[in-house]
Amino acid sequence: MNKIKELWTTTLWFKVVIILIAIFIAYSLPSFAVFIGFIGLIYSFISYIRKLLLKKKTKFNPNYLLLAGLIFIIIGSSNPAFHKDTTNQNEPISSSSSIKKSKAESESKVNSESKAKASSESKARSESKAKATSESKAKSESQLESESIASSESAEESQRIVNSESAASSSVAAAASQVQQASPSSIHTK
C-alpha cells in the first residue's frame, strides 16, 4: 500500500492511468459509477465538515473528492445504458406486459394479413373460373351461331339445287312433250 501511495505522489503517469481506468469503469458500469459518485459526494461533505468545523485533518482533499464524485455521476448518468437500466428496474412488469401485447398484436396482424391474402386468392380463383365459364359459353354460342349459319346456308343451297333440278326436269319434260307432239305430226305426214 505504501508503494501505491508513493507512486501516486511521485509519478504523473500513474495518476493518468488510474484516472483513465476509473473513467472506463464509470462508463462501462453506469449504475456503479453513479453509486460511487454519490458516495464520493457524501464523503466530501463529511470531509468539509471535519476540516472546517471540527478542525481535524482529513486523508483526502475534500475539493478533489467533490470533483471526483461529480465526474462519476456525470459520466455514469450520460451513458444511455444507465437510462435503460433505470427504466427496466422501475417497470419490469409493464415491460413484460408490453412485450406480450406487442407479440399478440403482431400475431393478430399476421393472421389478418394471411386471411386477407387467402380471401384475395380465393376471389381471384373464383374470378378466373367465372371468366373461363363465360369464355366457354361465348365459344359454344359462337359455334352454335356458325353452325346455324352454315346449316341455313346449306339449306338455301340445297333449296337452290332442288329448284334448279326441278326447273331442269320441267324443261326436260317440256322438251320431251314437245318432242312427242312433234313426232306424231311427222308420222302422219309420211
Side-chain angles (χ1 to χ4, degrees):
M1 187 76 169
N2 288 333
K3 224 167 203 210
I4 294 175
K5 285 183 183 179
E6 185 179 321
L7 278 173
W8 183 263
T9 56
T10 59
T11 58
L12 181 63
W13 64 268
F14 185 71
K15 288 180 183 177
V16 172
V17 169
I18 294 298
I19 289 171
L20 288 176
I21 290 172
I23 291 172
F24 175 73
I25 290 172
Y27 194 75
S28 299
L29 304 168
S31 299
F32 180 71
V34 171
F35 176 71
I36 295 297
F38 279 118
I39 289 176
L41 286 177
I42 292 170
Y43 192 70
S44 70
F45 292 141
I46 293 171
S47 295
Y48 275 123
I49 292 171
R50 287 184 72 179
K51 185 177 183 182
L52 297 176
L53 296 177
L54 301 175
K55 306 284 185 201
K56 291 186 178 180
K57 190 176 179 185
T58 59
K59 287 184 180 181
F60 302 105
N61 187 349
N63 294 333
Y64 293 142
L65 286 175
L66 181 65
L67 183 64
L70 288 175
I71 289 173
F72 272 100
I73 290 173
I74 290 170
I75 291 173
S77 63
S78 67
N79 191 344
F82 175 72
H83 299 290
K84 289 181 183 176
D85 289 343
T86 57
T87 56
N88 287 341
Q89 289 173 359
N90 291 340
E91 300 177 11
I93 297 171
S94 65
S95 65
S96 64
S97 64
S98 65
I99 291 171
K100 289 178 183 177
K101 286 179 184 178
S102 65
K103 284 183 181 178
E105 289 174 359
S106 64
E107 288 176 0
S108 65
K109 285 181 182 178
V110 168
N111 288 339
S112 64
E113 288 174 359
S114 64
K115 287 180 183 178
K117 189 175 182 180
S119 66
S120 66
E121 287 176 356
S122 64
K123 188 176 181 181
R125 286 183 195 143
S126 63
E127 287 177 358
S128 64
K129 286 181 182 178
K131 195 182 262 187
T133 55
S134 65
E135 287 176 358
S136 64
K137 284 182 181 179
K139 285 181 181 178
S140 63
E141 288 176 0
S142 65
Q143 284 178 345
L144 288 174
E145 203 172 299
S146 63
E147 287 175 0
S148 66
I149 290 172
S151 64
S152 65
E153 287 177 355
S154 64
E156 288 175 2
E157 188 66 30
S158 63
Q159 184 67 28
R160 286 186 203 139
I161 292 171
V162 168
N163 288 342
S164 64
E165 286 178 356
S166 64
S169 63
S170 64
S171 64
V172 168
S177 65
Q178 283 179 356
V179 169
Q180 284 179 358
Q181 289 175 359
S183 25
S185 57
S186 60
I187 296 177
H188 290 291
T189 51
K190 289 189 179 175

